[in-house]
Structure formats: structure tokens, C-alpha cells
Amino acid sequence: MMRFDNRGKDELRPIKLTKDFTRYAEGSVLIEWGNTKVLCNATVEESVPGFKKGSGEGWVTAEYSMLPRATQTRNKRDINKLKLNPRATEIQRLIGRALRGAVNMKELGERSITVDCDVIQADGGTRTASITGGFIALALACQRLLEHGLITKLPLHHYITAVSVGIVEGQGLLDLCYEEDSTAEVDMNIIMSDAKGFIELQGTGENGTFSQEQLEEMLRLGKKGIVDLIEIQKAALDGLELN
């Protein structure tokens, strides 16, 4: 099949990373992934949630939101609905879980890093872009802590990234854009580390079941995409070596 944007089935959309996109955050990056654009800001605070107090360990969490005109029609802000969008809640928990997979909390010390992921423009893969860009913002914030002498070693032990895969018209595809995602028979998000360990898999048969062979094909495509994405992250972080 010919893909909507003429890519190969195992080809990522173009990705551009702009570090230090905002002035005040300890770590900041704008990730442009195809037509999806997400601003990721990492904020360091010298405090931890109650359940971490006195533990000597830090904490990493995330928040996610989509600007009202990130999509073709305007969405209401959550504050106008007096509650957080359930989809946004699920996604920000996913981002937080993923990023915590990179961090040694003892080495971070008793402080928190919050990674805010704000979708400026959505064209599929906003959660995978948030995780991929969020890791870079997190790494930049940790580098700043190290430079300022607040920690003695970088508390990051893995690169973390994520990519979508799916089955569209019976064929496995890597990195679905909106047009593909909206018609996919199967949609899956894969989150992995540079050690090729899975952090999370989210897979759904949108119109029924999917076979073992289809699952294996999606995993193969996803792993290929993960390898490519980690190289992009490393280039953005100037080849940063982790412990």
C-alpha cells in the first residue's frame, strides 16, 4: 500500500528537536514529529511528595495537556470543565511511568522533577512524542543539577523513547500519522529503553482481534523505530553517556 505521506512502512516521520526552547525551565525542548508539535518543559523543585519524604529518594512525574486549537476543531480547556480530561490523565500517567524508568531516584536525591508536555499541534503520536521529547527535557534538567553541584553524578541510567505502530489495511506500519491512526485495525504504542527493555506496551484491536504474526510484525517495526529514535535523542544531547 502507498502510505498517506509516501513513507516506507518502517520509516519514521521527520523529527526536529529544538533544545532550550523556553527561558526559565531547567530543561526544555520543542519536539516536532511530522506535523505533531509538543513543548516539553522539565521543572526541578527541592521537595518531594509526602510518600517520599525522609526516603532520600527523588521523584519524577509528568503532566500533559493539549491546547484548544491543537486539533482541527477547538477543544475546551480542562479548567472550563472543572476536571482533567480522562484521556489526558491516562497519558500523563503513562509519560510519568515511562520517564521514571530512566532515573535512579537515590542518585536524584530528595527533589522532584515535573515534566510538562503541552501539545501545540496534533497529528497522531502525541504521547510518543511527549515521552521522547520529555526524556530530553528531563536529561537537560539533570545535567543542570550536575553543573550546579546539586548532584554528584547523572541519575539517568537509560535513554527512554516511544513510538506507535499499527496494522492499516492489513499491513504493519511504523509511526502512524492521524490519517493512518484513525483507520487502523490495530493501534499500539511501544515504550522501550536503549537496553532494549520494554517499559510499556499499549495495544488495541480497534475492529476485532489481531494475530500472533501481526503482533510480532508490530514489535519488529517498533524496535527498529526505537533504535532510530534513541540515535536522534543521543545526537540532540551531544552523545550524552549515561551511567
Side-chain angles (χ1 to χ4, degrees), residues 37-232:
K37 300 181 182 183
V38 184
L39 176 59
C40 303
N41 284 309
T43 300
V44 177
E45 296 174 292
E46 294 297 319
S47 61
V48 290
F51 71 92
K52 281 286 187 179
K53 286 183 178 178
S55 69
E57 295 185 348
W59 186 243
V60 173
T61 189
E63 294 191 9
Y64 168 98
S65 66
M66 188 175 290
L67 296 186
R69 278 314 304 266
T71 53
Q72 291 183 2
T73 57
R74 186 181 187 277
N75 294 306
K76 289 185 178 179
R77 297 181 190 273
D78 288 335
I79 194 171
N80 292 334
K81 296 177 283 187
L82 301 180
K83 62 179 181 179
L84 192 62
N85 182 295
R87 178 179 179 273
T89 301
E90 183 264 326
I91 292 175
Q92 69 184 30
R93 287 175 177 169
L94 172 69
I95 298 166
R97 288 195 302 272
L99 297 180
R100 285 192 290 273
V103 182
N104 183 311
M105 297 299 173
K106 280 285 187 185
E107 292 172 359
L108 178 60
E110 208 160 307
R111 57 178 55 84
S112 299
I113 301 179
T114 301
V115 180
D116 288 294
C117 301
D118 293 293
V119 180
I120 299 171
Q121 184 169 283
D123 183 39
T126 61
R127 70 187 69 194
T128 56
S130 295
I131 292 167
T132 302
F135 172 80
I136 295 171
L138 173 65
L140 292 171
C142 289
Q143 282 184 300
R144 182 164 291 185
L145 287 172
L146 187 63
E147 289 166 1
H148 290 180
L150 296 171
I151 54 177
T152 57
K153 62 185 296 190
L154 206 62
L156 301 176
H157 286 227
H158 295 289
Y159 280 81
I160 301 293
T161 191
V163 73
S164 67
V165 291
I167 304 294
V168 181
E169 296 181 18
Q171 184 169 336
L173 299 178
L174 174 67
D175 186 18
L176 306 184
C177 63
Y178 173 76
E179 286 80 4
E180 293 167 338
D181 183 58
S182 62
T183 61
E185 297 102 73
V186 184
D187 181 23
M188 177 177 283
N189 296 301
I190 299 175
I191 308 168
M192 295 182 71
S193 73
D194 58 340
K196 296 184 172 59
F198 290 102
I199 294 172
E200 192 150 343
L201 296 172
Q202 295 183 326
T204 304
E206 301 288 355
N207 297 304
T209 62
F210 54 96
S211 68
Q212 173 93 23
E213 291 76 16
Q214 288 175 317
L215 174 60
E216 290 173 355
E217 170 68 359
M218 288 188 289
L219 290 176
R220 184 191 67 77
L221 289 167
K223 287 179 180 178
K224 192 266 184 189
I226 293 289
V227 169
D228 293 342
L229 287 165
I230 287 172
E231 290 305 310
I232 291 170

Side-chain angles (χ1 to χ4, degrees), residues 3 6-13 174-175 221 224:
R3 297 190 73 171
N6 299 318
R7 285 179 290 143
K9 70 175 186 176
D10 63 350
E11 186 178 352
L12 295 168
R13 289 173 289 174
L174 174 67
D175 186 18
L221 289 167
K224 192 266 184 189

Side-chain angles (χ1 to χ4, degrees), residues 18-30 39-42:
T18 306
K19 293 186 298 182
D20 303 318
F21 192 78
T22 60
R23 180 175 183 177
Y24 301 112
E26 284 77 14
S28 175
V29 66
L30 175 68
L39 176 59
C40 303
N41 284 309

